[in-house]
Amino acid sequence: MKMNLKLILGLFFSISLFVSCDLEELPENVDIVGPTNLADLESLLNAGYNNLGWPLGGNAQLYAEINGDNIDGPIGINSDETEIYNRSTSFFNNTIRDNMYRGFYRIVLDANVVLGHIENNLEVLGLSATDERVQEIKGEAHLLRGMALFEISRFMSHSPGYSTDNSHLGIQYITSVDNALGQNRGTVAQNYANLISDLKEAESLLNMTNSKNQYYANKAAAQAYLAKVFFQAGFGPDIDTAESNYEQAFNYANSALTNTSAVFDVNLYQGGDTGTERFAGNLVDDNNTESPNVETIFGIVSESNANSKGGTFSRYRTDLAISNTTIRMMQDLYNSIPSTDKRKTLLEETDGEYFLKKFNKGIFHVPLAHYTELLLIRAEAAAETNSLSQAETDINLILDRAGLSTISGLTKPQMITLVREQRRIELLGEGNRINDLKRIGVNETSLTIRNAPWNCNGIVFQFPATEVFTGFIQNPTGGCN
């Protein structure tokens, strides 16, 4: 069954979130009967930006952390989340996991609707394909689609390298409203080729600054996600013929850091009146009085309490009453951070339990790509490609800011170990750890994640029952026992 784009033009775009088939839904918060001008097209694009807030406003990050080795359960997590913690491969009774899946595909459809109008209806809109703003909108849509499909692929499939040729199954890579239903899963090789295509298209179309304002996507945002994609491919077969995965990750991280207006925040973790926080934001009189942190390359902006996008992160908060739904952290993580490390203050021990204070705010902005993350990608990719001096320079910035001694003359294995340790601490709570472990396991095949093999069935999520149709291949069952 295929959707007809002309039919979509006659539909209202304010259809509710979870109805009928998941990949058939249309964007929320846009109440127009088909766009007729540039402003309408921009409203459709804004639906994609707005819908980032559901999966990436803390839900995806939390579920990834629960699947990894940073969170100590089952106290602090609910019954659905316990399925993730226990790595259940059931597909019929995990509401939160299924809703996250739908949330990502909503963004994909938002992007595809915009791209469909650019492809087929510019004359109706009174626009030309060569208009600079049209080109920019097209680039933003490609970025949103690539971002969403990259994130969902990391939940639903093993990393590149799980099979020697990346022929293991990935996700449904939906590129048009015409193929929204009944599409089988592609291989990881096909998925990553499509990701590269989407993100490179975004890179080519976006400028150094977005013409709307600094909170919309720009060229550095596309380069940051290209760096993430190649970094995740890591030890797998090269997903682009130009260079190795780690060389590409290094180059794109370097480009993003060079082209962004974001800067390394030397005041992070310093405390007091001059200290800053990565998840910046304070609600005063229902207006956000802080801009996103200076390290933010691309992220989600919370405008007010009513439009806060980081609500799920409140599950970590210790400035409120600690309850049975407050997330607990692993003791070994707490113990691994030296007492002289300024980042130790982000964690606290209470009655033998360990908590994360990183999200102790009522409202904040959510960075999805930031300077420190790209610095860590560049450092580890540099070490993997034997550019140890660059890796040393990058990691010393982070060590010095944390109040730790800088390093010199480490061997390649020592440098890689150090950078990975710093990634775990710096990106704590941000949803990266499980994906790092899945990437590393390709090269270190004896790796375990909470006493389970890195490649066991339950490390990847199961598809919702509503996506199953004749011929659709689910992920294997069996968990990680």
Side-chain angles (χ1 to χ4, degrees):
M1 177 180 177
K2 292 186 176 182
M3 295 185 70
N4 188 308
L5 187 57
K6 292 181 180 178
L7 176 61
I8 292 177
L9 291 174
L11 295 176
F12 283 92
F13 288 98
S14 56
I15 294 178
S16 59
L17 183 55
F18 303 127
V19 293
S20 67
C21 298
D22 304 329
L23 306 185
E24 189 180 20
E25 298 153 7
L26 296 173
E28 282 189 304
N29 305 320
V30 181
D31 193 17
I32 55 175
V33 188
T36 59
N37 53 45
L38 178 60
D40 288 347
L41 189 64
E42 289 180 326
S43 293
L44 286 170
L45 179 67
N46 284 337
Y49 278 106
N50 188 60
N51 284 329
L52 286 173
W54 163 243
L56 289 173
N59 291 296
Q61 293 92 331
L62 177 60
Y63 307 154
E65 292 287 338
I66 291 172
N67 202 25
D69 62 357
N70 285 335
I71 287 178
D72 188 10
I75 298 175
I77 57 179
N78 63 35
S79 58
D80 273 351
E81 292 163 350
T82 299
E83 283 198 43
I84 299 173
Y85 187 78
N86 292 335
R87 294 147 180 165
S88 166
T89 52
S90 65
F91 64 88
F92 53 89
N93 63 348
N94 192 303
T95 303
I96 58 170
R97 188 170 56 195
D98 294 357
N99 286 353
M100 178 196 66
Y101 174 89
R102 294 182 177 98
F104 278 119
Y105 274 105
R106 282 191 64 81
I107 300 165
V108 174
L109 186 56
D110 293 341
N112 285 340
V113 168
V114 170
L115 292 170
H117 287 305
I118 291 175
E119 181 70 23
N120 299 297
N121 298 295
L122 285 181
E123 185 175 346
V124 174
L125 299 171
L127 300 171
S128 166
T130 59
D131 289 348
E132 290 186 9
R133 181 56 181 148
V134 171
Q135 292 294 295
E136 186 174 51
I137 290 172
K138 183 177 179 182
E140 292 174 85
H142 276 285
L143 175 62
L144 290 173
R145 183 170 75 188
M147 283 176 55
L149 290 171
F150 173 58
E151 297 294 351
I152 197 62
S153 73
R154 296 201 287 183
F155 282 102
M156 312 307 291
S157 60
H158 286 288
S159 288
Y162 173 79
S163 61
T164 57
D165 57 357
N166 287 340
S167 60
H168 56 293
L169 287 178
I171 60 170
Q172 300 158 295
Y173 205 100
I174 308 296
T175 59
S176 168
V177 292
D178 290 327
N179 61 3
L181 297 176
Q183 180 172 325
N184 279 305
R185 300 167 65 184
T187 65
V188 166
Q190 292 168 332
N191 286 170
Y192 272 69
N194 287 329
L195 285 169
I196 293 169
S197 177
D198 262 336
L199 295 173
K200 283 188 175 182
E201 181 73 356
E203 181 193 23
S204 71
L205 293 170
L206 293 172
N207 298 315
M208 302 287 280
T209 57
N210 192 289
S211 66
K212 296 297 287 185
N213 63 50
Q214 69 271 31
Y215 303 128
Y216 287 81
N218 57 21
K219 188 180 293 292
Q223 292 167 336
Y225 266 87
L226 279 162
K228 290 188 181 196
V229 166
F230 281 104
F231 190 65
Q232 191 67 52
F235 297 104
D238 294 342
I239 57 175
D240 192 304
T241 57
E243 293 175 298
S244 74
N245 294 330
Y246 279 120
E247 287 173 323
Q248 294 270 35
F250 176 91
N251 290 336
Y252 279 112
N254 189 63
S255 294
L257 291 170
T258 300
N259 292 326
T260 185
S261 60
V263 296
F264 185 69
D265 187 358
V266 296
N267 294 316
L268 211 61
Y269 315 126
Q270 303 309 301
D273 293 336
T274 60
T276 53
E277 299 177 8
R278 180 169 296 142
F279 288 74
N282 273 322
L283 183 67
V284 177
D285 296 328
D286 207 33
N287 287 303
N288 201 322
T289 59
E290 290 183 38
S291 298
N293 180 265
V294 296
E295 288 207 350
T296 301
I297 296 172
F298 182 68
I300 302 172
V301 176
S302 295
E303 298 173 355
S304 66
N305 192 40
N307 193 28
S308 175
K309 303 299 185 182
T312 304
F313 288 109
S314 65
R315 295 280 303 285
Y316 290 95
R317 291 181 67 176
T318 63
D319 57 332
L320 305 174
I322 293 175
S323 69
N324 286 336
T325 60
T326 306
I327 300 297
R328 273 73 169 169
M329 309 306 293
M330 286 288 195
Q331 182 178 0
D332 78 293
L333 168 66
Y334 180 84
N335 291 340
S336 71
I337 305 174
S339 59
T340 55
D341 191 326
K342 294 177 181 178
R343 296 166 299 184
K344 188 86 167 186
T345 61
L346 295 179
L347 292 159
E348 67 178 0
E349 179 184 2
T350 302
D351 298 328
E353 295 183 311
Y354 303 88
F355 300 92
L356 181 62
K357 300 191 294 181
K358 192 174 190 175
F359 308 107
N360 282 3
K361 283 178 178 279
I363 182 173
F364 45 77
H365 309 301
V366 182
L368 301 178
H370 56 77
Y371 202 101
T372 292
E373 179 190 13
L374 270 294
L375 203 64
L376 287 162
I377 288 176
R378 188 171 70 180
E380 189 168 344
E384 289 288 355
T385 54
N386 300 306
S387 298
L388 295 181
S389 61
Q390 180 65 62
E392 181 179 295
T393 298
D394 289 343
I395 205 63
N396 276 340
L397 283 172
I398 290 169
L399 294 172
D400 183 64
R401 181 175 65 186
L404 301 175
S405 300
T406 56
I407 53 90
S408 178
L410 296 187
T411 65
K412 177 178 178 177
Q414 290 171 331
M415 181 65 75
I416 291 171
T417 297
L418 176 62
V419 175
R420 290 175 180 173
E421 290 171 350
Q422 294 305 303
R423 273 185 69 84
R424 187 183 188 189
I425 299 169
E426 281 285 343
L427 305 181
L428 185 58
E430 298 178 30
N432 287 273
R433 177 66 173 171
I434 185 62
N435 296 310
D436 285 338
L437 294 172
K438 289 164 71 174
R439 170 179 58 86
I440 294 165
V442 171
N443 189 51
E444 300 175 15
T445 55
S446 61
L447 179 73
T448 59
I449 306 172
R450 278 193 288 111
N451 300 315
W454 67 275
N455 57 352
C456 61
N457 291 341
I459 293 296
V460 296
F461 286 11
Q462 193 58 274
F463 287 83
T466 49
E467 287 309 300
V468 178
F469 53 86
T470 302
F472 185 89
I473 301 174
Q474 276 279 15
N475 280 326
T477 58
C480 289
N481 298 324

Short mmCIF file of all heavy atoms in Angstrom, two decimals, residues 169-215:
data_model
loop_
_atom_site.label_atom_id
_atom_site.label_comp_id
_atom_site.label_asym_id
_atom_site.label_seq_id
_atom_site.Cartn_x
_atom_site.Cartn_y
_atom_site.Cartn_z
N LEU A 169 20.62 -7.20 9.46
CA LEU A 169 19.47 -6.35 9.22
C LEU A 169 19.51 -5.08 10.06
O LEU A 169 19.92 -5.09 11.22
CB LEU A 169 18.17 -7.11 9.49
CG LEU A 169 17.80 -8.17 8.46
CD1 LEU A 169 16.51 -8.88 8.88
CD2 LEU A 169 17.64 -7.56 7.07
N GLY A 170 19.07 -3.99 9.44
CA GLY A 170 18.98 -2.71 10.11
C GLY A 170 17.53 -2.30 10.27
O GLY A 170 16.72 -3.05 10.83
N ILE A 171 17.18 -1.15 9.74
CA ILE A 171 15.84 -0.59 9.91
C ILE A 171 15.19 -0.33 8.56
O ILE A 171 15.80 -0.50 7.51
CB ILE A 171 15.89 0.72 10.71
CG1 ILE A 171 16.76 1.75 9.97
CG2 ILE A 171 16.39 0.48 12.12
CD1 ILE A 171 16.69 3.16 10.53
N GLN A 172 13.95 0.11 8.61
CA GLN A 172 13.25 0.60 7.42
C GLN A 172 13.72 2.04 7.18
O GLN A 172 13.43 2.92 7.99
CB GLN A 172 11.75 0.56 7.64
CG GLN A 172 11.19 -0.82 7.93
CD GLN A 172 9.85 -0.73 8.64
OE1 GLN A 172 9.77 -0.25 9.76
NE2 GLN A 172 8.80 -1.19 7.98
N TYR A 173 14.43 2.26 6.10
CA TYR A 173 14.92 3.61 5.81
C TYR A 173 13.92 4.29 4.89
O TYR A 173 13.97 4.16 3.67
CB TYR A 173 16.31 3.56 5.17
CG TYR A 173 17.10 4.83 5.40
CD1 TYR A 173 18.07 4.90 6.40
CD2 TYR A 173 16.86 5.97 4.64
CE1 TYR A 173 18.79 6.06 6.63
CE2 TYR A 173 17.57 7.14 4.86
CZ TYR A 173 18.53 7.18 5.85
OH TYR A 173 19.23 8.35 6.09
N ILE A 174 13.00 5.01 5.49
CA ILE A 174 11.88 5.61 4.76
C ILE A 174 12.32 6.94 4.16
O ILE A 174 12.70 7.86 4.88
CB ILE A 174 10.68 5.84 5.68
CG1 ILE A 174 10.32 4.55 6.44
CG2 ILE A 174 9.49 6.35 4.89
CD1 ILE A 174 9.87 3.42 5.57
N THR A 175 12.26 7.06 2.84
CA THR A 175 12.72 8.27 2.17
C THR A 175 11.61 9.01 1.44
O THR A 175 11.88 10.02 0.79
CB THR A 175 13.83 7.94 1.16
OG1 THR A 175 13.33 7.01 0.19
CG2 THR A 175 15.04 7.35 1.86
N SER A 176 10.38 8.54 1.55
CA SER A 176 9.29 9.18 0.84
C SER A 176 7.97 8.85 1.51
O SER A 176 7.83 7.77 2.11
CB SER A 176 9.26 8.72 -0.62
OG SER A 176 8.06 9.11 -1.26
N VAL A 177 7.00 9.73 1.43
CA VAL A 177 5.68 9.40 1.93
C VAL A 177 5.04 8.30 1.10
O VAL A 177 4.07 7.67 1.51
CB VAL A 177 4.76 10.64 1.94
CG1 VAL A 177 5.24 11.65 2.96
CG2 VAL A 177 4.66 11.25 0.56
N ASP A 178 5.59 8.03 -0.06
CA ASP A 178 5.04 6.99 -0.93
C ASP A 178 5.44 5.58 -0.51
O ASP A 178 4.87 4.61 -0.98
CB ASP A 178 5.48 7.21 -2.39
CG ASP A 178 4.83 8.43 -3.00
OD1 ASP A 178 3.69 8.73 -2.64
OD2 ASP A 178 5.49 9.09 -3.82
N ASN A 179 6.49 5.46 0.34
CA ASN A 179 6.87 4.11 0.76
C ASN A 179 6.78 3.96 2.28
O ASN A 179 7.58 3.29 2.91
CB ASN A 179 8.27 3.75 0.26
CG ASN A 179 9.35 4.68 0.81
OD1 ASN A 179 9.07 5.56 1.61
ND2 ASN A 179 10.58 4.45 0.39
N ALA A 180 5.76 4.63 2.85
CA ALA A 180 5.62 4.63 4.29
C ALA A 180 5.12 3.31 4.86
O ALA A 180 5.33 3.01 6.01
CB ALA A 180 4.69 5.76 4.73
N LEU A 181 4.45 2.50 4.05
CA LEU A 181 3.87 1.27 4.56
C LEU A 181 4.45 0.06 3.85
O LEU A 181 4.76 0.10 2.66
CB LEU A 181 2.35 1.27 4.35
CG LEU A 181 1.57 2.36 5.08
CD1 LEU A 181 0.10 2.29 4.70
CD2 LEU A 181 1.72 2.20 6.58
N GLY A 182 4.59 -1.01 4.60
CA GLY A 182 4.97 -2.28 4.00
C GLY A 182 6.39 -2.37 3.51
O GLY A 182 6.69 -3.18 2.64
N GLN A 183 7.28 -1.58 4.06
CA GLN A 183 8.68 -1.63 3.62
C GLN A 183 9.47 -2.53 4.54
O GLN A 183 9.43 -2.39 5.76
CB GLN A 183 9.28 -0.22 3.61
CG GLN A 183 10.74 -0.21 3.15
CD GLN A 183 11.25 1.20 2.95
OE1 GLN A 183 10.52 2.08 2.53
NE2 GLN A 183 12.52 1.41 3.27
N ASN A 184 10.20 -3.45 3.97
CA ASN A 184 11.05 -4.35 4.75
C ASN A 184 12.31 -3.64 5.22
O ASN A 184 12.69 -2.58 4.70
CB ASN A 184 11.41 -5.59 3.94
CG ASN A 184 10.29 -6.62 3.95
OD1 ASN A 184 9.83 -7.05 5.01
ND2 ASN A 184 9.85 -7.02 2.76
N ARG A 185 12.98 -4.25 6.17
CA ARG A 185 14.21 -3.69 6.71
C ARG A 185 15.33 -3.79 5.69
O ARG A 185 15.45 -4.76 4.96
CB ARG A 185 14.62 -4.46 7.97
CG ARG A 185 13.60 -4.43 9.07
CD ARG A 185 13.90 -5.45 10.15
NE ARG A 185 15.14 -5.15 10.86
CZ ARG A 185 15.66 -5.93 11.80
NH1 ARG A 185 15.04 -7.07 12.12
NH2 ARG A 185 16.77 -5.59 12.41
N GLY A 186 16.16 -2.76 5.64
CA GLY A 186 17.37 -2.82 4.84
C GLY A 186 18.50 -3.43 5.66
O GLY A 186 18.38 -3.65 6.86
N THR A 187 19.60 -3.70 5.03
CA THR A 187 20.77 -4.15 5.76
C THR A 187 21.44 -2.94 6.40
O THR A 187 21.18 -1.78 6.03
CB THR A 187 21.78 -4.85 4.85
OG1 THR A 187 22.28 -3.89 3.89
CG2 THR A 187 21.13 -6.02 4.11
N VAL A 188 22.33 -3.18 7.35
CA VAL A 188 23.07 -2.08 7.96
C VAL A 188 23.95 -1.40 6.92
O VAL A 188 24.13 -0.18 6.94
CB VAL A 188 23.89 -2.59 9.16
CG1 VAL A 188 24.92 -1.57 9.62
CG2 VAL A 188 22.94 -2.93 10.32
N ALA A 189 24.48 -2.16 5.98
CA ALA A 189 25.26 -1.56 4.88
C ALA A 189 24.41 -0.57 4.10
O ALA A 189 24.85 0.55 3.79
CB ALA A 189 25.80 -2.65 3.96
N GLN A 190 23.18 -0.95 3.77
CA GLN A 190 22.28 -0.06 3.04
C GLN A 190 21.89 1.14 3.89
O GLN A 190 21.86 2.28 3.41
CB GLN A 190 21.05 -0.85 2.60
CG GLN A 190 21.32 -1.91 1.56
CD GLN A 190 20.16 -2.86 1.36
OE1 GLN A 190 19.36 -3.10 2.29
NE2 GLN A 190 20.05 -3.43 0.17
N ASN A 191 21.58 0.89 5.16
CA ASN A 191 21.18 1.98 6.06
C ASN A 191 22.27 3.03 6.16
O ASN A 191 22.00 4.24 6.07
CB ASN A 191 20.90 1.44 7.46
CG ASN A 191 19.59 0.67 7.59
OD1 ASN A 191 19.34 0.05 8.61
ND2 ASN A 191 18.75 0.71 6.55
N TYR A 192 23.51 2.60 6.37
CA TYR A 192 24.59 3.57 6.55
C TYR A 192 24.93 4.29 5.25
O TYR A 192 25.32 5.47 5.28
CB TYR A 192 25.81 2.90 7.19
CG TYR A 192 25.74 2.92 8.70
CD1 TYR A 192 24.80 2.15 9.38
CD2 TYR A 192 26.57 3.74 9.45
CE1 TYR A 192 24.70 2.18 10.76
CE2 TYR A 192 26.49 3.78 10.83
CZ TYR A 192 25.55 3.00 11.49
OH TYR A 192 25.45 3.04 12.86
N ALA A 193 24.77 3.63 4.13
CA ALA A 193 24.95 4.32 2.85
C ALA A 193 23.91 5.42 2.71
O ALA A 193 24.21 6.54 2.25
CB ALA A 193 24.85 3.33 1.69
N ASN A 194 22.67 5.13 3.11
CA ASN A 194 21.61 6.14 3.05
C ASN A 194 21.85 7.27 4.05
O ASN A 194 21.59 8.44 3.74
CB ASN A 194 20.26 5.49 3.32
CG ASN A 194 19.78 4.64 2.16
OD1 ASN A 194 20.07 4.94 1.01
ND2 ASN A 194 19.04 3.59 2.45
N LEU A 195 22.34 6.93 5.23
CA LEU A 195 22.65 7.96 6.22
C LEU A 195 23.70 8.92 5.69
O LEU A 195 23.56 10.14 5.81
CB LEU A 195 23.16 7.31 7.51
CG LEU A 195 22.12 6.64 8.41
CD1 LEU A 195 22.80 5.83 9.50
CD2 LEU A 195 21.19 7.68 9.02
N ILE A 196 24.75 8.37 5.11
CA ILE A 196 25.81 9.21 4.56
C ILE A 196 25.26 10.10 3.46
O ILE A 196 25.57 11.30 3.38
CB ILE A 196 26.96 8.34 4.04
CG1 ILE A 196 27.65 7.63 5.21
CG2 ILE A 196 27.97 9.18 3.26
CD1 ILE A 196 28.62 6.55 4.77
N SER A 197 24.40 9.52 2.61
CA SER A 197 23.82 10.30 1.52
C SER A 197 22.98 11.46 2.04
O SER A 197 23.10 12.60 1.59
CB SER A 197 22.96 9.39 0.63
OG SER A 197 22.32 10.12 -0.39
N ASP A 198 22.11 11.18 3.02
CA ASP A 198 21.27 12.23 3.60
C ASP A 198 22.11 13.32 4.24
O ASP A 198 21.88 14.53 4.02
CB ASP A 198 20.33 11.63 4.65
CG ASP A 198 18.94 11.33 4.10
OD1 ASP A 198 18.53 11.97 3.11
OD2 ASP A 198 18.25 10.46 4.66
N LEU A 199 23.08 12.93 5.04
CA LEU A 199 23.85 13.91 5.80
C LEU A 199 24.81 14.69 4.92
O LEU A 199 25.05 15.89 5.14
CB LEU A 199 24.58 13.22 6.95
CG LEU A 199 23.66 12.62 8.00
CD1 LEU A 199 24.45 11.79 9.02
CD2 LEU A 199 22.85 13.70 8.72
N LYS A 200 25.36 14.06 3.89
CA LYS A 200 26.21 14.79 2.95
C LYS A 200 25.39 15.79 2.15
O LYS A 200 25.87 16.89 1.82
CB LYS A 200 26.96 13.83 2.02
CG LYS A 200 28.15 13.14 2.67
CD LYS A 200 28.94 12.35 1.65
CE LYS A 200 30.21 11.77 2.25
NZ LYS A 200 31.02 11.02 1.26
N GLU A 201 24.16 15.40 1.80
CA GLU A 201 23.28 16.34 1.11
C GLU A 201 23.00 17.55 2.00
O GLU A 201 23.01 18.69 1.54
CB GLU A 201 21.98 15.64 0.72
CG GLU A 201 20.99 16.51 -0.05
CD GLU A 201 21.39 16.78 -1.49
OE1 GLU A 201 22.48 16.37 -1.91
OE2 GLU A 201 20.60 17.43 -2.21
N ALA A 202 22.74 17.27 3.28
CA ALA A 202 22.52 18.36 4.22
C ALA A 202 23.74 19.26 4.32
O ALA A 202 23.64 20.49 4.30
CB ALA A 202 22.17 17.80 5.59
N GLU A 203 24.91 18.64 4.40
CA GLU A 203 26.15 19.42 4.50
C GLU A 203 26.33 20.32 3.29
O GLU A 203 26.74 21.49 3.41
CB GLU A 203 27.35 18.48 4.62
CG GLU A 203 28.68 19.20 4.74
CD GLU A 203 29.87 18.28 4.54
OE1 GLU A 203 29.71 17.22 3.90
OE2 GLU A 203 30.98 18.63 4.99
N SER A 204 26.00 19.81 2.10
CA SER A 204 26.21 20.58 0.89
C SER A 204 25.22 21.74 0.75
O SER A 204 25.54 22.76 0.13
CB SER A 204 26.11 19.67 -0.34
OG SER A 204 24.77 19.25 -0.56
N LEU A 205 24.04 21.60 1.35
CA LEU A 205 22.99 22.60 1.18
C LEU A 205 22.96 23.65 2.29
O LEU A 205 22.45 24.75 2.08
CB LEU A 205 21.63 21.91 1.12
CG LEU A 205 21.37 21.04 -0.12
CD1 LEU A 205 20.10 20.23 0.05
CD2 LEU A 205 21.29 21.88 -1.37
N LEU A 206 23.48 23.30 3.45
CA LEU A 206 23.42 24.22 4.60
C LEU A 206 24.62 25.15 4.62
O LEU A 206 25.72 24.78 4.19
CB LEU A 206 23.34 23.43 5.90
CG LEU A 206 22.04 22.64 6.11
CD1 LEU A 206 22.13 21.74 7.33
CD2 LEU A 206 20.85 23.59 6.24
N ASN A 207 24.40 26.34 5.14
CA ASN A 207 25.46 27.33 5.25
C ASN A 207 26.07 27.30 6.65
O ASN A 207 25.60 26.60 7.54
CB ASN A 207 24.90 28.72 4.94
CG ASN A 207 24.37 28.82 3.52
OD1 ASN A 207 25.01 28.38 2.58
ND2 ASN A 207 23.17 29.38 3.37
N MET A 208 27.09 28.12 6.84
CA MET A 208 27.76 28.18 8.14
C MET A 208 26.81 28.66 9.22
O MET A 208 26.93 28.26 10.38
CB MET A 208 28.98 29.10 8.06
CG MET A 208 29.99 28.68 7.01
SD MET A 208 30.93 27.22 7.48
CE MET A 208 32.13 27.95 8.58
N THR A 209 25.88 29.53 8.86
CA THR A 209 24.85 29.98 9.79
C THR A 209 23.50 29.82 9.12
O THR A 209 23.38 29.99 7.90
CB THR A 209 25.04 31.45 10.21
OG1 THR A 209 25.05 32.27 9.03
CG2 THR A 209 26.36 31.63 10.96
N ASN A 210 22.48 29.50 9.90
CA ASN A 210 21.14 29.35 9.35
C ASN A 210 20.49 30.72 9.22
O ASN A 210 20.63 31.58 10.10
CB ASN A 210 20.30 28.45 10.26
CG ASN A 210 19.00 28.01 9.62
OD1 ASN A 210 18.09 28.81 9.44
ND2 ASN A 210 18.93 26.74 9.27
N SER A 211 19.79 30.96 8.13
CA SER A 211 19.21 32.28 7.86
C SER A 211 18.08 32.63 8.83
O SER A 211 17.74 33.80 8.98
CB SER A 211 18.69 32.34 6.42
OG SER A 211 17.60 31.45 6.23
N LYS A 212 17.48 31.63 9.50
CA LYS A 212 16.41 31.91 10.46
C LYS A 212 17.00 32.44 11.77
O LYS A 212 16.72 33.55 12.17
CB LYS A 212 15.58 30.66 10.72
CG LYS A 212 14.85 30.14 9.50
CD LYS A 212 13.82 31.14 8.99
CE LYS A 212 12.60 31.23 9.89
NZ LYS A 212 11.56 32.12 9.32
N ASN A 213 17.78 31.62 12.44
CA ASN A 213 18.52 32.04 13.63
C ASN A 213 19.49 30.94 14.03
O ASN A 213 19.53 29.88 13.40
CB ASN A 213 17.59 32.43 14.80
CG ASN A 213 16.75 31.27 15.30
OD1 ASN A 213 17.26 30.19 15.57
ND2 ASN A 213 15.45 31.51 15.43
N GLN A 214 20.24 31.18 15.08
CA GLN A 214 21.32 30.28 15.45
C GLN A 214 20.84 28.95 16.03
O GLN A 214 21.65 28.04 16.23
CB GLN A 214 22.25 30.96 16.47
CG GLN A 214 21.65 31.19 17.86
CD GLN A 214 20.94 32.52 17.98
OE1 GLN A 214 20.39 33.03 17.00
NE2 GLN A 214 20.97 33.08 19.18
N TYR A 215 19.55 28.81 16.31
CA TYR A 215 19.06 27.59 16.91
C TYR A 215 18.65 26.54 15.86
O TYR A 215 18.37 25.40 16.22
CB TYR A 215 17.88 27.89 17.84
CG TYR A 215 18.23 28.88 18.92
CD1 TYR A 215 17.44 30.01 19.15
CD2 TYR A 215 19.36 28.71 19.71
CE1 TYR A 215 17.76 30.92 20.14
CE2 TYR A 215 19.70 29.61 20.69
CZ TYR A 215 18.90 30.72 20.91
OH TYR A 215 19.23 31.62 21.89
#
